[in-house]
């Protein structure tokens, strides 16, 4: 359910208003990057993913059938925590299973099991035996895999691509919503990486990369917390500029 305005425990001084943005932002709840739908306090430059603005007190995940994940506003205990979906550090909002010790970022916990735009269908797996198109390695984090099983992309690799591309944006200096749009919105491309994984004619390689590139758009959209066709289209246009 979407509300135009909400009150949130993490920002009690002002109400947060719902808005849609095509400019990436850093969520003040989970400390991860987002795009698209968000709740924002413009006065304080405070942003939350939809999943962070309205978290569930507890959730279950099909990958961990014996676990019950509870919402925490900060990592429990004194030891560093990392997300079991993307392998990245957790420094803010999270879901934690006290019995098994598993941890998930809110957006990772809500990753769709299937991404489908009518042409490309991708399935989320906890583990896959094939190598990732980005890093060339097997295993590692959760992965999105195409129905034809030709395209595989680690959720962890998507996060790394975003951090590499938006390094300055993610830094601690300057306004986190700087208007330097060109630097901030360069979406990573897998074109060169994909070509090294295929030994076909140039025409087939081009077609293969185009299909995989479309798949990448949807994976990035999902990881950023807004897996919609609209956001995938925005990301596609940004990828073409990179």
């Amino acid at each position: 359910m979407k509300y135009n305005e909400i009150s949130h425990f993490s920002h009690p001084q002002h109400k947060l208003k719902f808005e849609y943005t095509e400019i990436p932002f850093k969520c003040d709840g989970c400390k991860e990057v987002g795009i698209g739908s968000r709740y924002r306090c413009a006065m304080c430059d405070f942003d939350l993913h939809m999943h962070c603005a309205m978290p569930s007190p507890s959730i279950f995940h099909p990958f961990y059938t014996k676990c019950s994940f509870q919402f925490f506003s900060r990592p429990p205990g004194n030891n560093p925590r990392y997300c079991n979906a993307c392998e990245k550090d957790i420094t803010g909002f999270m879901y934690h299973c006290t019995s098994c010790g598993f941890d998930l970022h809110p957006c990772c916990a809500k990753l769709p099991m299937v991404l489908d735009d009518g042409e490309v269908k991708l399935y989320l797996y906890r583990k896959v035996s094939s190598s990732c198109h980005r890093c060339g390695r097997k295993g590692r984090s959760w992965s999105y895999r195409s129905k034809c099983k030709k395209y595989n992309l680690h959720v962890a690799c998507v996060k790394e691509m975003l951090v590499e591309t938006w390094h300055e944006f993610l830094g601690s200096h300057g306004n986190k919503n700087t208007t330097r749009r060109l630097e901030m919105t360069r979406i990573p491309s897998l074109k060169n990486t994909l070509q090294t994984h295929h030994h076909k004619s140039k025409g087939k390689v081009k077609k293969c990369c185009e299909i995989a590139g479309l798949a990448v758009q949807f994976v990035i959209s999902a990881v950023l917390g807004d897996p919609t066709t609209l956001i995938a289209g925005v990301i596609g246009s940004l990828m073409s500029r990179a």
Side-chain angles (χ1 to χ4, degrees):
M1 184 178 294
K2 183 184 74 176
Y3 299 93
N4 290 329
E5 192 174 76
I6 63 170
S7 296
H8 200 273
F9 70 88
S10 64
H11 193 71
Q13 55 269 49
H14 303 111
K15 288 189 175 181
L16 307 179
K17 293 184 177 181
F18 173 82
E19 67 175 42
Y20 167 87
T21 177
E22 295 181 2
I23 299 176
F25 62 89
K26 187 173 182 179
C27 176
D28 289 290
C30 66
K31 316 302 182 186
E32 297 290 300
V33 180
I35 197 171
S37 301
R38 66 177 172 182
Y39 280 95
R40 173 170 173 78
C41 174
M43 185 181 302
C44 300
D45 194 21
F46 185 91
D47 302 289
L48 291 177
H49 287 119
M50 292 286 288
H51 296 316
C52 292
M54 293 183 286
S56 303
S58 63
I59 62 170
F60 294 91
H61 199 279
F63 288 167
Y64 305 98
T65 56
K66 297 181 180 180
C67 294
S68 175
F69 290 89
Q70 309 299 315
F71 176 78
F72 284 78
S73 60
R74 64 185 65 182
N78 298 319
N79 295 326
R81 316 291 306 188
Y82 74 93
C83 177
N84 287 94
C86 69
E87 293 189 334
K88 303 304 175 187
D89 292 339
I90 293 179
T91 57
F93 291 2
M94 65 177 295
Y95 286 102
H96 172 70
C97 176
T98 55
S99 299
C100 303
F102 293 126
D103 302 302
L104 296 172
H105 288 120
C107 286
C108 290
K110 301 290 185 175
L111 284 173
M113 298 303 292
V114 181
L115 294 173
D116 183 8
D117 76 328
E119 294 183 22
V120 178
K121 185 173 287 189
L122 304 168
Y123 296 87
L124 186 63
Y125 288 84
R126 184 177 177 183
K127 292 181 180 180
V128 294
S129 57
S130 57
S131 59
C132 171
H133 278 94
R134 167 67 177 179
C135 68
R137 290 185 287 167
K138 300 179 181 180
R140 206 183 180 192
S141 71
W142 294 4
S143 300
Y144 272 106
R145 191 180 191 184
S146 63
K147 185 177 181 180
C148 65
K149 300 182 180 181
K150 291 182 179 179
Y151 315 113
N152 175 47
L153 190 64
H154 290 139
V155 172
C157 289
V158 174
K159 288 281 187 81
E160 288 175 359
M161 290 158 60
L162 294 172
V163 171
E164 290 170 4
T165 306
W166 295 330
H167 178 71
E168 185 171 345
F169 166 67
L170 290 170
S172 57
H173 63 285
N175 188 316
K176 67 173 182 174
N177 283 311
T178 175
T179 57
R180 296 169 64 183
R181 185 185 179 94
L182 289 179
E183 286 188 24
M184 223 168 53
T185 56
R186 285 184 61 247
I187 303 293
S189 171
L190 286 186
K191 183 176 180 181
N192 293 332
T193 304
L194 288 168
Q195 288 179 347
T196 64
H197 285 266
H198 299 285
H199 305 283
K200 302 177 182 178
S201 65
K202 291 184 179 180
K204 290 184 178 180
V205 169
K206 182 179 179 181
K207 182 62 177 178
C208 176
C209 293
E210 288 176 352
I211 295 173
L214 182 61
V216 172
Q217 293 178 32
F218 282 93
V219 176
I220 292 176
S221 300
V223 170
L224 291 178
D226 201 335
T228 63
T229 303
L230 179 62
I231 283 296
V234 170
I235 288 177
S237 67
L238 295 175
M239 285 178 70
S240 65
R241 302 176 198 167

